[in-house]
Every structure is written in structure tokens, then in C-alpha cells.
Amino acid sequence: MTPTGNDNATADNVTGSGSSAAGLAATLMPVGMEVNGMTVALSLDPRTTLLDAMREHLRLNGTKKGCDHGQCGACTVIVNGQRINSCLTLAVMHDGDAVTTIEGLGTVDDLHPMQAAFVKHDGYQCGYCTPGQICSAVSVLKEIAAGVPSHATADLTATPTVTRDEISERMSGNLCRCGAYSNIAEAMVEVAGAEA
Amino acid sequence: MQFDAPAGSNIFDDARIVGKSTPRIDGPNKVTGTAPYAYERHDVVADQAYGWIVGAGIAKGRITSMELTAAKAAPGVIAIVTAPDTQPVGKGMDNHAPLFGGSEITHYHQAIACVVAETFEQARAAAALIDTNYDRSTGSFDFDAVRASAPRSGEAETLGDFETAFAEAAVQIDETYTTPGQTHAMMEPLATIAAWDGDKLTLWTSNQMITWAKESLGDILGIDSANVRVDSPYVGGGFGGKLFIRADAVLAALASKAAKRPVKIMMQRPLVANNATHRQATHQRIRLGARMDGHITALSHQNWSYNVEGASGETATAQTAKVYAGANRLTAEYCATLDLPEGNAMRAPGEAVGHLALEVAMDELAEALGMDPIELRVVNEPDAVPGNPGKRFSDRNLVRCLREGADRFGWSERSATPAARREGRWLFGVGVAAGYRGAPTCKSGARVHLADGRIVVETDMTDIGTGTYTIIAQTAAEMMGVPLDHVTVTLGDSSFPASAGSGGQWGATSSTAGVYAACVALRRQIGEVLGFDADDARFEDGSIVAANKAFRLADAGTLSAEDTIRFGKFKKDYDVATYAGHFCEVAVDAYTGETHIRRMLAVCDAGRILNPLSARSQVIGAMVMAAGAALTEELTVDTRFGCFVNHDLAGYEVPVHADIPHQEVIFLDTLDEIVSPMKAKGVGELGICGPGAAIANAIYNATGIRVRDYPLTLDKYLDRLPAIA
Ligand code: FES
Ligand code: FES
């Protein structure tokens, strides 16, 4: 629930010239979320993106900032079961939401099947886009399973299937300048096969 | 260790770990988000404040005033460092545009201030309150306008009499190709955390070249580089964009001093393209004269590019002296001076865009001759370096790359007649290009520790996605006879021995050779401790067999050794390089002109492949970047304001998933005795030399339309598509 009534007043406090510590404190807003299954309570500057709430406040560094403008997908996280660009949304808009970041999918000693498939197929190089790719990849397979159509779905009335075209289309919001696309698709096909 | 003669047989010839496909040892960290990149290193130093960079709003002129009152009073602001109040900093290595300081502006988005605040949001908001006034002067931003008067850089390279041979040639090609500016667009923007401890400075940053960075910071900041530590264990892509120190590092250091606090800065994405460096546009004229049998008799490649004052252009002729035979030759580079941002190395500088011209010109020559493009290349395969006949090739298998690629790709099914294959709405075509990229080496050091039968490697080498962690672990495991998981590799710290760094595709063979040298030294120490001749011993599975006696590695206790591989003069007699045959199939929409890449294949000759799994990724990644260069990527210059207007990831179009099909890579099993003890050569830049031309040639084969102005966007040929029957 977004407290829209307060947005303007808050913004004034922040960008205005009031510099006292009290003025600063007054700009903070409480937000409670469930992040990777843990309940967290934060007190945040309302301008803080969900991305920076993860990286700078919760120190969950896995979610990456590639552009901060919704242009690259490096910041992809899963909110209430849906993947979003966490740089394009303010943390305070997510009071009560459940957020899954890359850290919530698996750990070094207990990899999520998609994480393991990325290692096996070398679905990365520098690794910077990788958490976002994996959060998207996991979500894409769920979206297809749920029957959500895409631009690559030939018959909108039929149930989409996991094809190379569907994968490429749905993953295209996640840029990889290292160019690991071909390997990422193979990792996803393998995981989808195992799931099917 | 001195590498003074061809390698001869060595331990890697019957390797058990080196050369085997090996998942990255840093992989589990990367896929779980636990690999630490520069900006997110909360744990390295306490009390980090946030810096925000302000970029100039003009491309040339002076700052006349900077009003800071509101910004200084804004919540959370700790310090503001401004260019007019800062003495211009020094120049780092291969650094031409000013990094910071003074009132003069020489390029758009040049850093003019850094605001430090308690939080990111506060720093950003305060920065927006700075009111800067400029005295804007006219600049020169239009490459096409100044190109014709650009002076030649260096001597023209000539052999025989090009003009006469060209005039007399039975078949002539004389065409001009243009490539636009390109930006590295590495996914991790430039980022640094800086902290001072007295006069000692530590930078946790994202940099390809640790030793260069450390030395340069001394020069830039006017401090003793011995007091600088640089740490960069993970680099979120570089492609040349992180070879040298940039404004993020300089401002983090200056702002940290001003704030008396550690400061972290990530250069905002929209600043990167104009603030930092780019690959410059080129204008290339190629003339080829040949006999009717295909033999090239005259070959000229002239290239015009630009840069800021005192720096060189994008040298697109780099490969031309090496690829094809021809007795009469002329290559020349011309470089104009512009007031655009600095041009500097981007993946395979020169060659990446040189191939976009040369390899299309070869396709045009093949067509003019009525010859198969592969046969034309085979006919012109040289015995010695064509532009420098005194030089031999160390090991060259370009013809094999082309022939084996042709078989694999089904080249024989290609129709030599363009626009001959139509399936529904799609026009299909295939194209080929050769690839050449030098394989230099660079001295490289490492330190290895033995304790409890386990190995730790330390070197300031970097892994920028190249797979360095893994190939270094493979090398150490092979040398010391331990399993891969008994090796720990630590990289990117300037307190470790200086390495080759990541650039020029020399990193893999140089850095592993350095580790090899250090391991040879450690083996000898172990031999002295346990009493055997290490040079005659076999290290395997944690034990050692020497003179029919067995020893346990763990019994050697705790030892350390350090060495540096240095490459001798004998290499100067050889051209050491990598080669590829690149193949591509495209489908062009007969109605809209939209191009889809359907298949891509690269057959690569790059000596021993240390880790085929990650080497393949290097090649496919470079092919993706080549696809971008061919089809979508272009820094668009606003010649009124002197900036790249599409300076973010929405406006500058790098390839996405949907642009790239399944890619295939074949490595020829070759060994280059001249390159290094590893007999291995790099592949990361080879992969971008050629695929773009193969795409362009495939589009021609599909449509019969030759566009010589990259990128090949559909607006350039939509009105010329074949009639739809
Ligand atoms: S950081 Fe969010 S899309 Fe790029
Ligand atoms: S792995 Fe480097 S950007 Fe994708």
C-alpha cells in the first residue's frame, strides 16, 4: 500500500534546504518486507529504490545495478512471484511484499537447479548480469508453465511451450554484454526439460 | 623464468587438467551473487559515504561559475569537490582527455564535480542543486567534415608499386566502408571505493590492469605509487573500457580526502559513454587488384579515424599486412582531431572494425572474379608475413579453419547468386569471413604457497569474465599434482606479483605461464626439502615420484615461491597470431528488411585451448559483440552539441537474447611453440574479428544489396529489397 498522500510533503523535505538532523530523520519511512523468507523492517528514505534497499541497506549484493534506469535487467528480483526490475520501483511501495533475490534461490553449497545449470553450461562470463539472468530464467519457465503468452507465441489460444524462441523473447530484457545468451538458453532448456 | 626458445615438449603435452573442459571455480559464487564487485564491498572498510558525479553539460569551453550554496546545505551532504577548485590532476597511462580539475571543458560529460553525502539519494539530490554556468566555445565534432584534411599518422606502409599494379590488375575492387563509434557498455559501470589511511590510499575498484592502475594513480594524484593499493578481484566486464584509470577512481580518491571518509562511487550509466572512452568511427577505403585466377597483385587499405589531440585513431588497417598475400601493397592511417570524448582501446582495437571492411572487400572481389569466397582466400594464403616478408608465422592454420568450417556449415549448399533462396517471407543467405588477431604476450608474475598439501596462487592478474581463476587453478593443479579443489586462486590485488593483466588477448597465455614459472620454482624448493631433483620428478595426486622413490607433497611443509615469466627476443622473428573461419546464415524479412541471424559458426586456431568451456564462451561472446557492430551498435554524434546522444543502454543497442541464435565454436587442436610454455594463444578478441563481416556478406547473399555503412540497419536498404513476387 503506497501512502500517496504523503509523497509530496516528503519530497519537499528531502530536496528542500532543511539540513538539520531532525529534518533528515523526518524523511524516513518504515517498510516491512519478507526478503528471501526473512521478515525485515527497514526505515528508508522514500527515494530509495528496491534495488538499493537490497544492496545498500540489507547488503544483499547479489542483485546488480547495471543502469539504474530499467534498461538492462541486472537488477531483476522476484516480487510476489513476479520478476521486476528492482531499480524501477521504490522500496516503500513494497510494504508487505515478498521479495526473492538471487541469494534466496540457492547457496554455494546448495545451488538452485538453474544456478547449477548456469555453472554447467557456462551461462556467464564476468558474472555481473548473472543474478538478474537467473531470476529472470526461473521466472520465465514459471510464466510459460502458467500459460502467459509472449510475442513469440504463435497461437495465443494455445498453451505456450518452452522453445528456444520463447526463451529468447522472454529473456530479452536481460542484457549480457559478455554475450552468454546461447549458453543461458541451453541452461534454461536443460532445467525446463528436467522440470517437464 | 626466461622464455628464450621455442617451448619444446613439456608437462602440458600430456596434461590431465590443463586443456580439459572445466566449469569455472568462481562459478558458484557468481551464480549465487556472492562474488564481490567493486561498489558492493561493504566489508572492506567502515563508514563508506556515497559519491555522485556531475558531468559537464557542454563539450568545449569553460566553467564560468558554479553555485554550490543550495547543494552544500542539502541534507546529508558531507563534501563537494569541484573541478574549478581543484588543480588539474595528472595524466595516467594512455590517458589523453583530462580526468578532473580546472575550469576548462574538453569533452561532454567531463567530470566537473563530485558530491559526497551520507546516502546515495542525498548525494544525487544535492548534485541536482548545483548550478553551473559555462562559456561555451565552438568545437569540432563532425568527423565527416574534417576527415578529408586529417593528417597521416605515422608512415604509410608500402611494398612494391601498388598504384601501377592496381591499374594493371585484371579485376579491381575500390570501395569505401564506414563504421560508427561504439561503446564498451560493460554491464558493471566504472566503480570504485577509496579510503585513505594517512598518505596511503586503497582503491577497491573494477580494473583490468592492476599494475598500470597503481602506477597511473601515482602520476594522476601526484603521490608515490608505492602508497597505493588497488584491489579488483571481480570485474563486471571491461572490453578495454577498464584498462586505464578513469574518473570514478580519481574522484573517489579526491572526494574521500575531502570528506575524510571512505567514499564509494559508481559512475552513473548515462555518463559512461561520454565521460569515459569509446571506439572511434572509421572511414576505410580498400582497393584490391587481382588476376583472373584470384591471386591478389595489389592491395591497399587506407583508414581515416579521429581522436582527441595527441592520441591515435582506431587503426583499422592493423590486420591488413598479415592476412593475404600480394606483392604490391599500400596501407596508411589518417587521424583527425576532434573535440569528442577520448577514443581508446575496445576489444580488438583496429582489427574488430578493420575486418568489417577487409573481409567484405574480399567477398566483393570473389564475386567480381566469379570465385568462391573461400577459394579466393585459400589462393591468397601467404607463406611469410605479406607486409613484412622477413617475418615467419609461428603457427598458422587459417586454411584449415576455413575448410573445416565450410564442411561443418554446409557451405557447399550456398548459392553464389544473391537473393536466390526464399522461404515464405524470408530471404536466406550465408556468408564467410576470415579472422586474424595477433597473439602478443606480456611478462607476468605469480606467487605460489604450499601448506598441508594445498596450493594458494597469488597474482595481480584479473578475471574480467575471461575464466582466469579457472585456468590459473588448472595450471597450478597440473604443475603441483593436486586436484583442482586443492588450489585457491587470489587475483587482482596490487600487493601480489605484477601480472600481464587482461588486455590484447594476451592474458590467458601470459598469466598461466607466470604461474607455471612460479610452480617450477616451488617444485625445486620441495625437491630441496625432501631430497629429489624436481626437474626429473612427477607430481601427481598429492605425491611425487622421483628417481623411483615416492614422496608425499604434504611432507614438504609450508613453502612459498615467486617468479615472473619473461618473453625473449627470439619471438621477434615471428608473427604470432590467432586465426578463424567465421560463418553465418541470416534470414532477411522480404517485406520489412529485418535481419535475423539464424546460425553462427567460428572455427578457431589459437594454439592449446586451456579450458575449452570458458574459451568457447569468450568466442561466442565476441561473436555477439560482432553481431552488434554489424547490425545495431552506433554511437550517434550530435554535431551541434558535441556528444553521443544515445548514451545509455536504451539508446545504444547492444544485442539481446532474441538477436542471437545457437552458436557453434570449433577449436582446432594446434600448439604454438613460439608463444609461451603453455603453447596457448588468446581467443577473446579473435572472436570479434570476422563475424560481423560474415553477417554482412550473408545479408548480401540473401538480398543482393551491399551496404557498406555500418551498422546495417534496414533503413539503409529497405527501398532496394528484391521485388516481392
Ligand atoms: S539496473 Fe535495473 S534495469 Fe538496469
Ligand atoms: S556475464 Fe558479463 S554481462 Fe553477462
Side-chain angles (χ1 to χ4, degrees):
Chain A
M1 180 67 158
T2 312
T4 43
N6 289 334
D7 270 7
N8 291 339
T10 309
D12 284 347
N13 285 346
V14 170
T15 54
S17 54
S19 63
S20 68
L24 184 62
T27 67
L28 300 182
M29 286 178 69
V31 56
M33 291 180 271
E34 193 189 297
V35 179
N36 299 330
M38 304 242 303
T39 302
V40 300
L42 291 168
S43 186
L44 293 175
D45 184 321
R47 297 166 298 183
T48 309
T49 60
L50 182 60
L51 171 61
D52 284 333
M54 296 300 123
R55 283 171 65 80
E56 306 303 328
H57 295 269
L58 295 175
R59 302 199 171 179
L60 291 168
N61 300 323
T63 310
K64 301 304 181 198
K65 184 182 282 189
C67 68
D68 221 10
H69 287 69
Q71 301 169 343
C72 75
C75 63
T76 305
V77 298
I78 303 165
V79 176
N80 300 337
Q82 279 212 319
R83 57 183 171 139
I84 62 166
N85 286 341
S86 63
C87 72
L88 281 189
T89 189
L90 298 172
V92 293
M93 295 160 66
H94 293 281
D95 198 41
D97 284 352
V99 181
T100 303
T101 69
I102 190 71
E103 290 92 343
L105 288 180
T107 60
V108 166
D109 296 320
D110 183 20
L111 296 178
H112 182 281
M114 190 65 78
Q115 292 170 321
F118 267 60
V119 174
K120 178 179 167 191
H121 292 277
D122 216 42
Y124 49 51
Q125 288 197 51
C126 76
Y128 200 76
C129 75
T130 310
Q133 300 279 358
I134 291 172
C135 285
S136 255
V138 167
S139 304
V140 159
L141 296 188
K142 288 210 174 101
E143 286 159 22
I144 295 174
V148 179
S150 84
H151 173 70
T153 313
D155 179 357
L156 292 183
T157 60
T159 311
T161 53
V162 181
T163 61
R164 176 64 209 246
D165 280 355
E166 287 281 5
I167 287 175
S168 298
E169 169 61 26
R170 291 167 194 263
M171 290 297 291
S172 280
N174 289 85
L175 305 183
C176 176
R177 186 55 159 166
C178 294
Y181 300 132
S182 185
N183 289 353
I184 292 169
E186 277 167 34
M188 289 178 68
V189 166
E190 177 176 302
V191 173
E195 278 178 358
Chain B
M1 180 185 286
Q2 193 73 20
F3 184 64
D4 266 337
S9 68
N10 65 27
I11 180 170
F12 303 111
D13 293 328
D14 38 25
R16 310 197 310 170
I17 302 171
V18 167
K20 304 290 178 286
S21 247
T22 306
R24 292 173 200 244
I25 61 171
D26 49 328
N29 287 115
K30 282 180 172 169
V31 299
T32 54
T34 51
Y37 297 82
Y39 190 77
E40 59 207 34
R41 301 188 69 184
H42 301 286
D43 54 332
V44 290
V45 58
D47 215 19
Q48 299 170 17
Y50 291 80
W52 178 272
I53 302 174
V54 180
I58 64 165
K60 193 172 166 67
R62 291 184 67 76
I63 298 171
T64 53
S65 69
M66 226 176 192
E67 176 50 49
L68 301 176
T69 313
K72 279 184 175 159
V77 170
I78 301 163
I80 301 177
V81 179
T82 71
D85 286 338
T86 306
Q87 276 295 319
V89 298
K91 291 273 167 73
M93 196 170 155
D94 206 6
N95 164 211
H96 302 279
L99 289 165
F100 193 68
S103 294
E104 200 192 337
I105 303 299
T106 70
H107 66 94
Y108 195 80
H109 276 170
Q110 178 177 323
I112 57 170
C114 178
V115 178
V116 183
E118 296 289 344
T119 72
F120 176 75
E121 294 76 23
Q122 289 169 332
R124 179 180 58 192
L129 299 175
I130 297 178
D131 189 8
T132 306
N133 288 296
Y134 304 94
D135 182 3
R136 200 177 138 198
S137 39
T138 47
S140 175
F141 310 119
D142 188 347
F143 177 44
D144 284 334
V146 300
R147 177 177 24 87
S149 57
R152 200 176 63 221
S153 29
E155 290 299 308
E157 289 179 22
T158 58
L159 200 68
D161 177 357
F162 168 77
E163 297 293 348
T164 306
F166 183 67
E168 289 172 356
V171 178
Q172 298 166 338
I173 294 293
D174 181 355
E175 295 293 353
T176 296
Y177 308 85
T178 59
T179 65
Q182 297 166 355
T183 181
H184 308 83
M186 58 281 184
M187 290 300 302
E188 179 202 26
L190 299 161
T192 301
I193 302 172
W196 293 87
D197 177 10
D199 52 11
K200 293 206 186 312
L201 170 67
T202 304
L203 293 184
W204 296 272
T205 189
S206 184
N207 193 288
Q208 300 173 226
M209 290 286 175
I210 301 306
T211 301
W212 295 359
K214 180 181 158 98
E215 298 298 324
S216 290
L217 280 160
D219 295 337
I220 292 165
L221 299 175
I223 59 175
D224 183 351
S225 67
N227 285 333
V228 179
R229 182 181 154 226
V230 176
D231 188 35
S232 185
Y234 287 91
V235 179
F239 315 114
K242 294 173 181 169
L243 282 172
F244 306 106
I245 290 294
R246 296 292 165 212
D248 60 307
V250 176
L251 285 171
L254 296 177
S256 169
K257 181 139 256 181
K260 303 186 176 63
R261 289 258 299 266
V263 169
K264 60 191 265 180
I265 296 177
M266 178 183 282
M267 187 180 289
Q268 303 93 273
R269 174 60 69 182
L271 289 188
V272 177
N274 283 288
N275 175 280
T277 60
H278 69 289
R279 190 202 297 281
Q280 308 96 295
T282 68
H283 178 104
Q284 306 176 47
R285 181 184 185 196
I286 295 190
R287 285 173 288 170
L288 300 174
R291 302 197 311 238
M292 286 311 295
D293 64 2
H295 282 277
I296 295 171
T297 53
L299 193 163
S300 169
H301 191 171
Q302 290 161 290
N303 176 53
W304 288 260
S305 186
Y306 63 84
N307 211 335
V308 299
E309 188 78 50
S312 58
E314 175 75 16
T315 54
T317 64
Q319 68 291 318
T320 305
K322 318 284 181 64
V323 188
Y324 300 115
N328 302 287
R329 313 176 72 92
L330 166 66
T331 55
E333 291 279 347
Y334 305 82
C335 183
T337 299
L338 288 180
D339 298 306
L340 288 174
E342 177 177 338
N344 206 312
M346 178 167 151
R347 200 172 200 165
E351 287 139 319
V353 290
H355 281 73
L356 289 171
L358 180 64
E359 289 303 297
V360 173
M362 287 297 283
D363 205 60
E364 302 203 45
L365 178 60
E367 192 184 34
L369 287 161
M371 221 174 147
D372 180 89
I374 291 177
E375 293 313 313
L376 175 65
R377 288 171 170 92
V378 171
V379 161
N380 288 291
E381 177 69 5
D383 300 325
V385 178
N388 185 358
K391 235 179 182 179
R392 282 177 286 165
F393 291 108
S394 59
D395 185 49
R396 171 173 169 134
N397 302 281
L398 175 59
V399 171
R400 254 185 81 193
C401 292
L402 292 165
R403 291 258 193 251
E404 292 185 24
D407 284 349
R408 181 78 184 187
F409 201 71
W411 183 254
S412 59
E413 277 151 50
R414 163 187 184 263
S415 164
T417 312
R421 190 173 149 215
R422 169 103 181 257
E423 290 173 24
R425 65 184 301 144
W426 298 104
L427 294 159
F428 279 84
V430 292
V432 67
Y436 169 97
R437 167 68 183 145
T441 43
C442 194
K443 75 172 180 187
S444 197
R447 194 182 296 138
V448 279
H449 304 286
L450 168 70
D452 301 326
R454 293 177 161 266
I455 304 294
V456 175
V457 184
E458 296 174 342
T459 165
D460 84 359
M461 182 61 192
T462 49
D463 188 329
I464 64 171
T466 37
T468 316
Y469 278 103
T470 310
I471 56 173
I472 283 180
Q474 288 173 276
T475 306
E478 191 81 55
M479 286 297 294
M480 304 314 302
V482 297
L484 198 65
D485 64 6
H486 279 41
V487 180
T488 305
V489 179
T490 48
L491 300 180
D493 187 332
S494 64
S495 63
F496 298 154
S499 74
S502 300
Q505 83 167 11
W506 65 58
T509 198
S510 304
S511 68
T512 51
V515 172
Y516 163 73
C519 287
V520 167
L522 182 62
R523 284 163 62 119
R524 287 178 185 157
Q525 281 191 30
I526 294 165
E528 278 166 30
V529 170
L530 298 180
F532 61 80
D533 177 1
D535 293 350
D536 262 337
R538 270 190 95 76
F539 286 63
E540 252 169 45
D541 303 325
S543 37
I544 303 148
V545 179
N548 289 325
K549 288 214 320 235
F551 305 87
R552 273 167 29 101
L553 185 65
D555 292 340
T558 303
L559 295 169
S560 296
E562 181 178 332
D563 200 5
T564 295
I565 188 90
R566 292 185 172 78
F567 298 93
K569 288 200 178 59
F570 83 101
K571 294 182 73 167
K572 291 202 177 3
D573 296 338
Y574 300 90
D575 188 64
V576 186
T578 59
Y579 308 89
H582 290 289
F583 295 80
C584 178
E585 179 179 64
V586 300
V588 179
D589 190 309
Y591 296 88
T592 69
E594 190 185 346
T595 296
H596 285 205
I597 302 173
R598 291 299 172 97
R599 291 192 289 145
M600 292 181 97
L601 165 68
V603 182
C604 300
D605 168 28
R608 169 174 283 124
I609 301 300
L610 300 168
N611 180 2
L613 183 64
S614 55
R616 180 179 170 280
S617 290
Q618 284 270 286
V619 177
I620 66 167
M623 290 156 79
V624 169
M625 207 177 271
L631 297 177
T632 58
E633 291 182 35
E634 172 173 21
L635 280 172
T636 303
V637 180
D638 183 326
T639 54
R640 300 163 304 166
F641 297 104
C643 66
F644 302 126
V645 280
N646 51 343
H647 51 74
D648 61 25
L649 294 173
Y652 185 84
E653 296 182 352
V654 305
V656 302
H657 277 271
D659 295 320
I660 303 301
H662 175 74
Q663 294 165 295
E664 199 177 351
V665 180
I666 295 171
F667 293 114
L668 298 188
D669 217 359
T670 58
L671 297 173
D672 193 321
E673 303 267 340
I674 306 300
V675 64
S676 91
M678 310 307 294
K679 306 180 192 175
K681 296 182 277 198
V683 294
E685 300 193 349
L686 175 65
I688 198 174
C689 295
I695 292 167
N697 293 337
I699 292 175
Y700 176 75
N701 185 242
T703 62
I705 307 166
R706 189 74 76 177
V707 179
R708 302 180 183 86
D709 174 25
Y710 291 97
L712 308 185
T713 49
L714 56 85
D715 53 296
K716 294 173 185 168
Y717 57 80
L718 185 58
D719 56 348
R720 289 185 280 156
L721 282 174
I724 295 162

